């Protein structure tokens, strides 16, 4: 580095997958370097782009800052773009030193340095200490003394030991300052209270690091108070298994549950590690305070053994059902396509097992054969065919052909739009029962319909989704279409309020402002405070505009609320009769209730 140490301008760059994301890594590097008294000698700058930003626009912004050191965080979702960007940076800033770090470069650094001359250094593993030491090189610090550094020495590539591990996490300063909160307004803020994982799942890089290291509880409480004090919208813990040790995680959960704040906290947890005390406590947590991501991955025992993962499925299912019943915690469950020994039939069973828990979100992921992972080392054993470059996603193996995986890929897209959108909450269970009873078969057939019509190749508006669902159902269930359209209308009023009104649905009053047959009854109802107060607390008539904003009454030809509340296993029978339903949009989430006949007619 041919510059004086007191002249260093250091730019830390992240290319996030989405605009709403932020980079914990960059702020951890900055705060550690500044705590090492490097701040007085250097200027630290942070730039966060997304993978959707224009390459030349990013280059222009970087050039304007004229950095001498450019550190870039590398992951599977941005690696190819980073290599292109680094090459361009070197062309316009030839004296700039480009340093890569992160999981995507930590396990094959020599290959990258040999192949890409624009890259000057690679920091392997946890980078705080190494990056801080590297910044001292211009002042005479020897490169060979920088832990976990990979660099060139003449024609050779040299690696200083193995990827870094920082034994004492309490030696790391808090990554955030007040200005970060303003810069990250309405974005997800990431935080870690531990590093490492107690498990050895062979598809995950956490299996390479033995043991788990924790921040002290006092430190964690102080850190979290900072987020709460600044009214952060969401804090996402990146701990690989947050509930690895009860004496660490349980006090944190209790501390957060007792706060008066709007902040949502997201955790990756193992649901079978909760005991009765924890489960009882979780039922008392304020709604919206916690969000749990639970990695199931598979319910097939031979698959779990092959990836060295231990799941107590019965306990997981019971605990998830218990929490789901109370509805105060958002539950996000994960499955992985392409794991060993899981063919289409076995994956269908795993899918149906997890789907039966009715999580708020079910993510269908596809196996990535990450550099350094055990599953990648044994790729030949399972016949894996996968992408040569990041994200190294599976294309086929001994149990699933490429044709099957590509069909599951389309199913994933459809599933996200239909189930994970939360848009068809009440019509889906009834529709699945009418179809075959198997959730997997339903979504697989829906995906085939999607592909036949080329719908997987274009984006869709909300109204179009309702129409496609109706057209798919109509193909095999014409005799039930009137009832199904009522279900769709019911879902639309809950998911999209009165803002989205697909024209083909049987509205009391159409979008063309045709007369509402129940107009007089509705007007009479809203003007009678005594009647309305039986359904809306502290009601008093204000203006029609205010009522339309907060409420909607729709008369249905089928008693859908009774079916939902009294649903018998396997039943699809819905009583046909006129029912007036009051939809309320005044609270945190839409709600509905049936108006008694004597109160409406």
């Amino acid at each position: 580095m041919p510059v004086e140490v007191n002249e260093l301008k250091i730019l830390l760059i992240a290319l996030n997958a989405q605009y709403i994301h932020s980079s914990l890594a960059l702020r951890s590097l900055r705060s550690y370097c500044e705590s090492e008294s490097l701040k007085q000698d250097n200027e630290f700058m942070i730039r966060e782009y997304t993978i959707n930003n224009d390459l030349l626009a990013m280059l222009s912004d970087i050039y304007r800052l004229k950095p001498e050191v450019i550190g870039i965080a590398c992951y599977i979702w941005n690696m190819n773009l980073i290599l292109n960007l680094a090459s361009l940076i070197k062309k316009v800033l030839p004296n700039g030193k480009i340093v890569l770090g992160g999981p995507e470069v930590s396990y094959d650094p020599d290959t990258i340095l040999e192949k890409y001359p624009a890259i000057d250094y690679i920091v392997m593993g946890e980078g705080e200490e190494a990056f801080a030491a590297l910044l001292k090189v211009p002042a005479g610090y020897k490169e060979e003394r920088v832990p976990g550094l990979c660099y060139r020495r003449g024609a050779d590539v040299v690696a200083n030991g193995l990827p870094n591990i920082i034994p004492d996490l309490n030696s790391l300063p808090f990554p955030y300052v007040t200005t970060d909160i303003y810069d990250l307004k309405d974005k997800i803020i990431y935080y870690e209270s531990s590093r490492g994982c107690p498990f050895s799942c062979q598809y995950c890089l956490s299996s390479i690091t033995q043991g788990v290291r924790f921040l002290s509880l006092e430190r964690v409480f102080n850190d979290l108070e900072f987020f709460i004090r600044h009214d952060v919208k969401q804090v996402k813990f990146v701990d690989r298994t947050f509930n690895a040790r009860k004496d660490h995680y349980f006090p944190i959960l209790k501390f957060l549950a007792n706060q008066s704040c709007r902040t949502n906290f997201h955790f990756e947890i193992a649901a079978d590690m909760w005991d009765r005390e924890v489960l009882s406590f979780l039922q008392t947590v304020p709604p919206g305070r916690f969000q749990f991501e639970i990695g199931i991955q598979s319910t097939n025992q031979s698959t779990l053994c092959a990836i060295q993962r231990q799941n107590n499925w019965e306990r997981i299912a019971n605990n998830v059902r218990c929490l789901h019943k109370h509805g105060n915690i958002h539950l996000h469950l994960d499955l992985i396509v392409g794991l060993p020994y899981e063919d289409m039939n076995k994956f269908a069973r795993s899918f149906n097992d997890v789907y039966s828990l009715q999580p708020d979100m079910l993510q269908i992921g596809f196996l990535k054969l990450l550099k350094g992972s055990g599953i990648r080392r044994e790729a030949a054993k399972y016949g894996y065919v996968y992408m040569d470059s990041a994200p190294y996603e599976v294309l086929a193996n001994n149990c699933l052909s490429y044709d099957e995986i590509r069909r599951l890929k389309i199913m994933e897209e459809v599933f996200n739009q239909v189930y994970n959108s939360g848009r068809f909450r009440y019509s889906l269970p009834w529709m699945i029962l009418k179809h075959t009873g198997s959730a997997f078969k339903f979504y697989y057939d829906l995906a085939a319909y999607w592909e036949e019509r080329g719908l997987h190749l274009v984006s869709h508006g909300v109204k179009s989704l309702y129409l496609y669902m109706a057209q798919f159902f109509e193909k095999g269930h014409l005799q039930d279409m009137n009832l199904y359209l009522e279900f769709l209308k019911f879902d639309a009023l809950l998911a999209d309020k009165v803002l989205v009104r697909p024209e083909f649905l049987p509205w009391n009053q159409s979008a063309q402002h045709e007369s509402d047959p129940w107009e007089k009854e509705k007007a009479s109802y809203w003007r009678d405070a005594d009647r309305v107060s039986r359904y809306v607390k502290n009601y008093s008539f204000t203006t029609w505009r205010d009522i339309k904003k907060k409420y909607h009454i729709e008369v249905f030809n089928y008693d859908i609320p009774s079916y939902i509340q009294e649903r018998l296993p396997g039943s699809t029978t819905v009583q046909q009769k006129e029912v007036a339903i009051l939809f309320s949009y005044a609270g945190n989430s839409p709600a509905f209730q049936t108006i008694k006949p004597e109160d409406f007619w």
Side-chain angles (χ1 to χ4, degrees), residues 55-116:
L55 194 62
L56 291 178
M58 290 188 285
L59 177 67
S60 173
D61 188 49
I62 294 166
Y63 176 82
R64 180 179 62 85
L65 300 173
K66 300 294 194 302
E68 283 95 18
V69 179
I70 303 102
I72 312 178
C74 302
Y75 303 89
I76 55 173
W77 64 80
N78 63 18
M79 191 63 209
N80 295 331
L81 188 57
I82 283 173
L83 293 173
N84 289 332
L85 179 61
S87 176
L88 292 174
I89 292 172
K90 188 64 80 170
K91 288 177 184 293
V92 299
L93 294 170
N95 294 324
K97 298 299 179 181
I98 299 177
V99 186
L100 303 187
E104 181 51 26
V105 295
S106 289
Y107 301 98
D108 194 18
D110 49 343
T111 301
I112 295 173
L113 287 178
E114 290 168 359
K115 190 173 180 181
Y116 298 96

Side-chain angles (χ1 to χ4, degrees), residues 486-524:
E486 296 270 311
F487 262 113
L488 283 182
K489 182 172 69 169
F490 188 86
D491 278 336
L493 286 169
L494 283 174
D496 297 297
K497 304 181 181 179
V498 291
L499 303 176
V500 176
R501 294 167 63 92
E503 289 78 6
F504 70 93
L505 292 180
W507 302 102
N508 293 170
Q509 184 175 10
S510 72
Q512 288 74 32
H513 304 291
E514 295 175 4
S515 61
D516 183 344
W518 311 109
E519 184 175 356
K520 290 182 180 180
E521 285 81 357
K522 293 176 183 179
S524 172

Side-chain angles (χ1 to χ4, degrees), residues 519-587:
E519 184 175 356
K520 290 182 180 180
E521 285 81 357
K522 293 176 183 179
S524 172
Y525 176 82
W526 287 119
R527 290 187 181 280
D528 189 335
D530 289 339
R531 278 192 285 163
V532 181
S533 294
R534 297 166 196 162
Y535 305 88
V536 179
K537 289 184 179 179
N538 304 318
Y539 171 80
S540 62
F541 182 85
T542 52
T543 65
W544 290 116
R545 181 178 181 181
D546 186 53
I547 288 173
K548 289 180 179 179
K549 182 180 178 181
K550 295 180 180 178
Y551 309 102
H552 178 79
I553 295 175
E554 186 78 12
V555 176
F556 287 72
N557 294 315
Y558 292 84
D559 191 357
I560 293 175
S562 293
Y563 172 78
I564 293 170
Q565 294 158 10
E566 304 166 6
R567 185 188 310 162
L568 299 174
S571 173
T572 60
T573 302
V574 184
Q575 184 180 5
Q576 185 172 3
K577 71 173 187 177
E578 289 180 340
V579 179
I581 303 176
L582 171 60
F583 294 85
S584 174
Y585 308 120

Side-chain angles (χ1 to χ4, degrees), residues 102-237:
E104 181 51 26
V105 295
S106 289
Y107 301 98
D108 194 18
D110 49 343
T111 301
I112 295 173
L113 287 178
E114 290 168 359
K115 190 173 180 181
Y116 298 96
I119 311 302
D120 296 290
Y121 298 102
I122 290 178
V123 173
M124 302 180 292
E126 298 173 7
E128 289 92 345
E129 291 179 349
F131 190 72
L134 182 60
L135 295 180
K136 299 175 184 177
V137 169
Y141 197 83
K142 301 297 183 183
E143 289 176 330
E144 55 265 29
R145 295 180 60 189
V146 179
L149 184 67
C150 195
Y151 59 99
R152 297 184 188 85
R153 181 182 291 159
D156 299 325
V157 173
V158 179
N160 298 340
L162 298 173
N164 290 305
I165 297 292
I166 296 177
D168 181 14
L169 296 188
N170 291 298
S171 67
L172 301 176
F174 182 58
Y176 296 95
V177 294
T178 299
T179 54
D180 290 328
I181 304 305
Y182 298 114
D183 293 339
L184 301 175
K185 187 178 185 299
D186 293 326
K187 291 188 177 184
I188 300 171
I189 290 182
Y190 295 87
Y191 177 77
E192 60 185 354
S193 71
S194 66
R195 289 182 181 178
C197 184
F199 303 112
S200 301
C201 303
Q202 293 301 290
Y203 55 83
C204 180
L205 293 182
S206 296
S207 63
I208 299 171
T209 305
Q210 296 297 317
V212 187
R213 293 152 289 144
F214 300 89
L215 284 173
S216 69
L217 287 176
E218 181 182 5
R219 162 67 187 277
V220 173
F221 294 158
N222 287 334
D223 292 350
L224 296 177
E225 282 178 344
F226 174 87
F227 297 130
I228 294 168
R229 190 166 61 249
H230 286 87
D231 195 30
V232 169
K233 185 176 182 180
Q234 184 179 56
V235 174
K236 192 168 185 176
F237 279 63

Side-chain angles (χ1 to χ4, degrees), residues 371-389:
K371 291 179 181 178
S373 66
I375 200 77
R376 182 160 173 152
R377 289 194 298 270
E378 293 196 306
K381 175 180 177 181
Y382 303 112
Y384 277 112
V385 180
Y386 59 96
M387 296 170 63
D388 294 328
S389 58

